[in-house]
Amino acid sequence: MGEPTHRSDLALVLSGGGARAAYQVGFLRLLAREFPQIVPGILTGVSAGGLNAASLAARHEPFGERIEMLASTWASLRMEDVFRVDLRDLASRTVRWGGRLMSGGTSPLLPAKSLVDTTPLRALLERVLEANDGVLTGIPRNLQTGSLRAIALTASDYTTGQSITWVQTREDCRIQTWERPQRKSYTCALRVDHVMASSALPFFFPAINVDGEWYGDGGIQLTAPLSPAVHLGARQIIAVSTRYARSREEADRPAVAGYPPPAQVAGVLLNAVFLDLLDTDALHMQQINDLVARLPEGQRDGLRHIDLLVLRPSEDLGRLANEYEPELPRAFRFLTRGLGTRETRSNDLLSLVMFQSDYIKRLIEMGEADAAAKISEIRRFLGHGAG
């Protein structure tokens, strides 16, 4: 097998999508099996993709074993490991949300910060990420050994409306933080709080207080999902999306009959916020690559060619979620059906929060099979980078 090759300019970009991020783990398993010697030096993630990136960056085992442990964690996941699903808690939160709406904000009831309580997720992350008093102490160790060059997690600052990327790198990398309109970065020691903030689905999960400001899911304001990897020096990027690319015929086929229920509207909005921007950013990168190829080296003004490979599901993960909906915990199933999840053929909203082992295992298997189907393309891509 040979010694690991730490590819400091190879980046993994892991997009959001809640429970859909289990699909990424299937791809990672194939990557570790087929290319055990290759270790990506740059990891970036947003939302649940940030959870995957943090796990790979924080664990101390060899890279392949980190992926297997991540796959094992996902495969054994139950919904109650992520948020409380008991009837009493869900009913209390629903009543308090309703009371706030009906009272014009003057309800005497203590307001609910979110639809669900994610205390179980924090406990899970503390254990899986081997946190010490909330700090991901494994990241500095991997940075020091050279198996990691940089990791970046992105969240949305609800206080200012900006997209914030937290970066942790080796001191000798000399990476400059960046600031763009509505986007900025900070270097810091990553904590469980940062992971929780990046993955806090709006309304469903509570916002997280990080250093005095409130943050939620990083996909809300991140208009350029590939940009953190570019800023961190990537020359090759593998981006794993959880968005199924529908054919023209599929895109024209209605997902609902009659007036769209809240679940359908929310699914369309969440796809637009979290997943569609990767396609736009990938097109932009290809345009820059074409421009760089036409310009003499002295006129490129800092622009550089970046190889990009985007992998995505071969099936509609929202439609797939319908098959597993009857197995949801009863109280949570009752709540989501009230939003109309039984009325749409592609249940994008439900797929984001379906943290249950049968659905998760199916996604991991699909990710591995989809990667195997593209193994020749992946091999060419990685071989080109090695040269």
Side-chain angles (χ1 to χ4, degrees), residues 268-324:
V268 171
L269 289 174
L270 291 172
N271 275 339
V273 170
F274 299 136
L275 304 177
D276 293 347
L277 292 174
L278 178 60
D279 297 328
T280 303
D281 205 22
L283 177 60
H284 183 226
M285 179 168 287
Q286 183 57 55
Q287 292 171 337
I288 292 178
N289 285 341
D290 293 342
L291 176 63
V292 169
R294 292 196 299 268
L295 288 174
E297 189 169 346
Q299 299 179 19
R300 293 177 181 174
D301 195 26
L303 296 176
R304 67 180 188 276
H305 179 96
I306 299 176
D307 293 326
L308 174 64
L309 178 64
V310 179
L311 299 167
R312 60 181 70 253
S314 58
E315 296 182 40
D316 185 337
L317 304 188
R319 187 178 294 272
L320 183 65
N322 284 333
E323 297 180 20
Y324 298 90

Side-chain angles (χ1 to χ4, degrees), residues 36-118:
Q37 76 283 7
I38 293 180
V39 179
I42 300 171
L43 301 171
T44 77
V46 60
S47 191
L51 187 156
N52 287 338
S55 179
L56 296 178
R59 299 289 304 197
H60 67 277
E61 298 86 1
F63 193 70
E65 292 182 25
R66 294 181 224 170
I67 292 173
E68 283 304 315
M69 295 192 71
L70 180 60
S72 177
T73 299
W74 274 101
S76 62
L77 204 61
R78 302 169 303 164
M79 194 163 286
E80 49 265 41
D81 294 326
V82 181
F83 50 81
R84 292 183 60 184
V85 294
D86 57 281
L87 177 60
R88 182 174 182 177
D89 185 74
L90 291 175
S92 171
R93 290 172 180 275
T94 302
V95 168
R96 284 184 283 159
W97 271 78
R100 185 183 182 93
L101 290 172
M102 298 300 293
S103 68
T106 61
S107 171
L109 298 174
L110 183 69
K113 295 179 179 178
S114 59
L115 285 174
V116 297
D117 177 0
T118 56

